């Protein structure tokens, strides 16, 4: 582990932790209509985060295909679910998915130069930030539309 690739294990761990949180969130709300989609997202994040964390010592060329596929597949799943489902913040999900897909495509075609660990880490960090931004937008919607229940 050198200073040049120190950020990659951090992003891998964050993605793994998000997968764990998604898994437990999906498990506790397992009677929803999107249970199988959410469990697939969680398992995908768990597997990718674990594989990336344990292979973070590899060269950028070896990791580029893994990260490119992750970004493109994850973004395609999200944009399809945003169009298919009735997401409250579908615009945020679509925007984040398009940006993530373009970053994955840039890694795939080796644009602008050969992949570097710094660029791969940057792309994964943007993915994490865009997912967080979408969740923040959703929380603002929840605050604006909260109706207290009479049960409590």
């Amino acid at each position: 582990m050198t200073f040049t690739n120190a950020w990659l294990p951090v992003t891998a761990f964050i993605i793994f932790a998000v997968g764990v949180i998604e898994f437990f969130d999906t498990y506790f709300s397992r009677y929803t209509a999107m249970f199988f989609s959410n469990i697939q997202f969680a398992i995908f994040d768990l597997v990718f985060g674990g594989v990336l964390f344990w292979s973070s010592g590899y060269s950028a060329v070896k990791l580029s295909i893994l990260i490119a596929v992750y970004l493109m597949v994850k973004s395609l799943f999200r944009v399809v679910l945003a169009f298919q489902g009735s997401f409250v913040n579908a615009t945020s999900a679509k925007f984040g998915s398009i940006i993530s897909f373009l970053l994955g495509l840039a890694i795939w075609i080796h644009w602008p130069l050969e992949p570097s660990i710094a660029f791969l880490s940057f792309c994964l960090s943007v993915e994490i930030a865009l997912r967080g931004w979408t969740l923040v937008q959703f929380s603002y919607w929840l605050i604006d539309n909260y109706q207290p229940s009479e049960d409590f």
Side-chain angles (χ1 to χ4, degrees), residues 141-149:
W141 178 85
L142 285 176
I143 290 169
D144 291 341
N145 295 307
Y146 175 70
Q147 298 295 327
S149 174

Side-chain angles (χ1 to χ4, degrees), residues 9 11-27 37-55 66 70 74 127 131:
T11 56
F13 180 75
I14 290 171
I15 291 172
F16 182 81
V18 166
V20 170
I21 292 168
E22 283 177 332
F23 183 81
F24 283 116
D25 180 47
T26 303
Y27 177 76
S37 300
N38 292 337
I39 203 76
Q40 286 175 344
F41 279 155
I43 291 172
F44 192 52
D45 281 344
L46 280 168
V47 169
F48 174 76
V51 167
L52 185 63
F53 184 77
W54 293 112
S55 62
L66 175 71
Y70 171 76
K74 186 78 171 185
E127 161 70 16
R131 285 168 55 183

